Amino acid sequence: MSSVIYTIVVVAMVLPIIGNLPSEIQMSRALGLYDTMWGIWIMKMSFLGMYFLVFNAMFKGIPQDYAEAAYLDGASELRIMVNIYFPLARYTFFTVLLLNFITYWNDYQIPLIYIPSYPTVAFGVFTYSNSNATMNSSVPSRITASIIMLVPILILFLIFHERLIGNVSMGGIKE
């Protein structure tokens, strides 16, 4: 069953979706998701993409000895997932979360299209750099705005760098 799901997800990732933006906006308006923060979170929540492959490889890399030992101790499937697999996946989860934060923090098109009432810093930098009044302005002001955008990402990385980089290999099984 897992190979069927994997194949469906990979095929869905490969198929191009071209020209769906107008229908997506119309559907988001009909469902009341347009121009709301919750709406954009719900619309952009997806299990498809590169991170599906990252999590799939990570979970396949976990030795089955952990689950077998937990079965012998009488643990249920849910308990094994919550107490064994999820703690082993936490560094991968934090890494994916940080990469998604960086992606959406630097994106100006999604807020421009879906949440025009909530402009982001990236949208402000885009608007400033493309306005006619600043067309002849100096490059240092644009670089300054970009560095200001970098500060939250840098702070997050400095806080979580040991957790993100520290668990390169999983251990715990003695042969």
Side-chain angles (χ1 to χ4, degrees):
M1 181 66 180
S2 66
S3 62
V4 172
I5 293 172
Y6 181 81
T7 304
I8 290 171
V9 169
V10 169
V11 167
M13 287 171 35
V14 171
L15 293 176
I17 301 174
I18 298 173
N20 70 335
L21 183 62
S23 61
E24 190 175 353
I25 291 173
Q26 186 177 12
M27 183 183 292
S28 68
R29 284 186 175 156
L31 295 173
L33 301 175
Y34 185 77
D35 207 13
T36 63
M37 293 304 281
W38 288 106
I40 192 69
W41 288 355
I42 291 170
M43 288 189 303
K44 295 304 169 188
M45 208 169 24
S46 170
F47 68 93
L48 299 177
M50 180 185 76
Y51 301 120
F52 170 79
L53 300 175
V54 168
F55 278 113
N56 184 38
M58 192 275 316
F59 281 117
K60 279 189 173 185
I62 295 175
Q64 287 297 324
D65 296 342
Y66 292 123
E68 290 171 6
Y71 280 129
L72 290 175
D73 290 340
S76 66
E77 294 278 340
L78 180 65
R79 186 135 183 111
I80 291 170
M81 183 176 63
V82 170
N83 289 352
I84 294 174
Y85 289 138
F86 283 171
L88 290 173
R90 71 178 175 257
Y91 296 113
T92 306
F93 178 75
F94 282 135
T95 303
V96 168
L97 189 66
L98 181 63
L99 290 174
N100 272 328
F101 175 77
I102 291 169
T103 299
Y104 288 117
W105 180 260
N106 291 331
D107 190 11
Y108 65 89
Q109 289 179 333
I110 297 292
L112 175 66
I113 295 170
Y114 293 105
I115 48 174
S117 298
Y118 302 97
T120 61
V121 176
F123 178 70
V125 171
F126 169 75
T127 304
Y128 174 74
S129 66
N130 288 330
S131 68
N132 290 334
T134 60
M135 196 57 92
N136 296 325
S137 69
S138 64
V139 173
S141 62
R142 294 179 191 173
I143 293 174
T144 303
S146 299
I147 289 174
I148 290 171
M149 273 184 53
L150 173 75
V151 169
I153 296 170
L154 187 62
I155 290 170
L156 282 175
F157 180 77
L158 291 175
I159 291 170
F160 294 114
H161 77 279
E162 289 181 11
R163 290 184 177 163
L164 296 173
I165 299 171
N167 193 23
V168 174
S169 63
M170 286 185 278
I173 303 250
K174 305 275 183 183
E175 296 288 333

